[in-house]
Amino acid sequence: MIRTVAQITLGNTGIRTDRNAFGALPIQRTNLQTAIKILRKAHEGGIRFFDSARGYSDSEEKLGLAFEGIREKIFIATKTQARTPEAFWQDLETSLSLLKTDYIDIYQFHNPSVCYKPGDGTGMYECMVDAKNKGKIRHIGLTNHRLNVAHECIDSGLYETLQFPLSYLSSQEEIKLTDKCTKAGMGFIAMKALAGGLITDSATAYAFMAQFENVLPIWGIQREIELNEFLGYIEDPPQLTDARKAFIAQERQELTGEFCRGCGYCMPCPVGIEINTCARMSLLLRRSPFEPWLKPATQEKMRKIEECLECGECASKCPYDLDTPALLKRNYEDYQKVLADEVRVDQ
């Protein structure tokens, strides 16, 4: 049995925190009062690291309202999708204002298609250095879904953290990034630790992630019941037992391969297909109660696949190089079969 590591230090940043990090993307879907309640309960329960982004609608605003007055007791990471220096500074000042703070612990380029470097002509990395020198940010990081960009950024020695998808469904090439970051003195922040909802056993997911001493997993939390699970793991961390390792092996056999991770970078679709849901429908039907997925609203979403132009725009933006139009078609065929079977049963 592999023992879990309760706390980690994130690379050379000096940031030491419990390995429960709060992913603040989902709270944009909750009302303000509920979001503040969940965020404060997370802090009171021992969570100290909170990750947001300028692109997560009102997520930063909710963090700012929840933690006003206790800023020094938490770590905040946020992100910019800016592609020009002007947009960079606008995003940074907006984030600082909404978060009600004068500094951000880790400021990250949000899934850039290239590794920004000094002198590359974009001026983007120079913005990060300038912001750090001015005390507006403390550490420079980036998020990505592309292995080649991740490797280039680690090799560059310019970044202090990498945020990358990691779960027990990840490929060996993706998992190797954790060791590479450790050797480079970079912190590894793991997003998609539940594989976009495909992993339903949070205890096993936690135990898997806890074997990596340099990995800080972000758990996307929207409801208080979800928060309670992870708060419970602070006091009683799940262990990676032989039974859990066998379960992971079975899960990998069933789920690895060409499946949509639900990252959403293929969006928007020119004809309005909700790709990050529709391209995963076969798995969603098999890994959760399927009746909710057969309701009229979801049927309408799936019928949009019939309008697919096969323009290839989604496939060209997929960081996992999936043949998205073909994946949508297979999921739609599967969905129609399940729906027809349910109709026959009802009759």
Side-chain angles (χ1 to χ4, degrees):
M1 180 175 68
I2 299 175
R3 301 294 300 181
T4 61
V5 179
Q7 287 204 327
I8 68 163
T9 300
L10 201 54
N12 292 333
T13 65
I15 293 175
R16 185 161 179 80
T17 178
D18 181 87
R19 67 173 51 257
N20 275 328
F22 191 109
L25 184 152
I27 62 167
Q28 64 183 317
R29 298 191 286 266
T30 66
N31 62 52
L32 181 61
Q33 183 178 2
T34 301
I36 290 175
K37 177 184 177 183
I38 290 172
L39 287 165
R40 288 178 177 169
K41 181 174 182 178
H43 171 259
E44 291 163 3
I47 293 177
R48 296 291 180 266
F49 192 100
F50 297 82
D51 176 82
S52 187
R54 184 78 293 278
Y56 296 169
S57 63
D58 63 356
S59 172
E60 290 178 325
E61 179 182 7
K62 288 168 176 172
L63 283 169
L65 291 169
F67 298 132
E68 188 174 11
I70 59 169
R71 173 66 182 92
E72 295 295 331
K73 297 181 179 180
I74 62 171
F75 300 106
I76 294 178
T78 194
K79 319 177 188 77
T80 175
Q81 290 180 307
R83 297 296 180 261
T84 66
E86 294 77 15
F88 176 97
W89 289 110
Q90 182 177 351
D91 273 3
L92 178 55
E93 293 301 332
T94 300
S95 292
L96 289 169
S97 175
L98 291 173
L99 289 165
K100 298 184 181 296
T101 184
D102 56 5
Y103 72 95
I104 292 165
D105 292 287
I106 303 176
Y107 201 47
Q108 303 163 103
F109 288 125
H110 196 167
N111 196 41
S113 59
V114 297
C115 173
Y116 291 126
K117 300 175 182 178
D120 63 8
T122 67
M124 297 303 290
Y125 190 82
E126 288 86 344
C127 287
M128 280 286 195
V129 173
D130 192 14
K132 188 174 182 179
N133 289 337
K134 290 176 178 176
K136 293 178 181 290
I137 68 173
R138 294 191 170 173
H139 304 286
I140 300 172
L142 82 153
T143 76
N144 223 268
H145 290 255
R146 303 167 179 86
L147 272 170
N148 63 315
V149 175
H151 278 292
E152 187 175 355
C153 288
I154 299 170
D155 292 337
S156 74
L158 296 169
Y159 294 88
E160 296 168 89
T161 61
L162 168 68
Q163 186 173 149
F164 198 86
L166 183 73
S167 72
Y168 64 61
L169 298 180
S170 295
S171 69
Q172 287 304 308
E173 289 302 310
E174 292 166 329
I175 292 173
K176 286 178 183 177
L177 286 176
T178 64
D179 286 335
K180 189 170 184 177
C181 280
T182 298
K183 292 173 183 176
M186 285 179 66
F188 190 104
I189 304 171
M191 59 172 146
K192 301 289 182 184
L194 295 175
L198 294 180
I199 293 174
T200 57
D201 185 340
S202 66
T204 298
Y206 184 101
F208 173 83
M209 302 297 279
Q211 67 184 306
F212 302 103
E213 294 187 3
N214 189 38
V215 171
L216 176 63
I218 289 175
W219 309 108
I221 295 169
Q222 179 176 341
R223 292 180 287 272
E224 192 170 356
I225 189 172
E226 298 166 348
L227 173 62
N228 291 339
E229 285 186 32
F230 293 105
L231 291 181
Y233 301 154
I234 294 177
E235 294 298 325
D236 185 21
Q239 306 301 317
L240 192 56
T241 60
D242 288 341
R244 284 198 169 111
K245 285 188 277 189
F247 176 74
I248 288 172
Q250 179 182 344
E251 291 270 277
R252 289 180 61 83
Q253 185 175 2
E254 293 178 1
L255 292 174
T256 51
E258 287 209 347
F259 70 92
C260 173
R261 277 75 166 178
C263 68
Y265 287 107
C266 55
M267 303 283 279
C269 169
V271 297
I273 301 170
E274 193 176 296
I275 301 171
N276 52 344
T277 297
C278 296
R280 298 192 302 150
M281 187 54 64
S282 294
L283 292 171
L284 292 171
L285 287 170
R286 285 158 177 76
R287 298 191 61 76
S288 58
F290 64 84
E291 291 85 356
W293 297 112
L294 301 181
K295 291 183 177 180
T298 305
Q299 292 181 41
E300 183 62 29
K301 287 180 183 180
M302 294 301 290
R303 276 195 293 271
K304 291 289 291 182
I305 296 175
E306 296 176 1
E307 302 176 27
C308 177
L309 303 173
E310 298 195 19
C311 62
E313 186 175 331
C314 53
S316 69
K317 293 186 288 187
C318 178
Y320 301 98
D321 297 320
L322 298 176
D323 184 347
T324 314
L327 192 59
L328 284 168
K329 183 178 179 181
R330 291 199 300 272
N331 274 264
Y332 188 40
E333 291 172 351
D334 194 23
Y335 185 80
Q336 288 177 307
K337 290 176 183 176
V338 173
L339 190 61
D341 287 344
E342 286 303 299
V343 170
R344 282 195 291 271
V345 170
D346 290 341
Q347 292 175 342

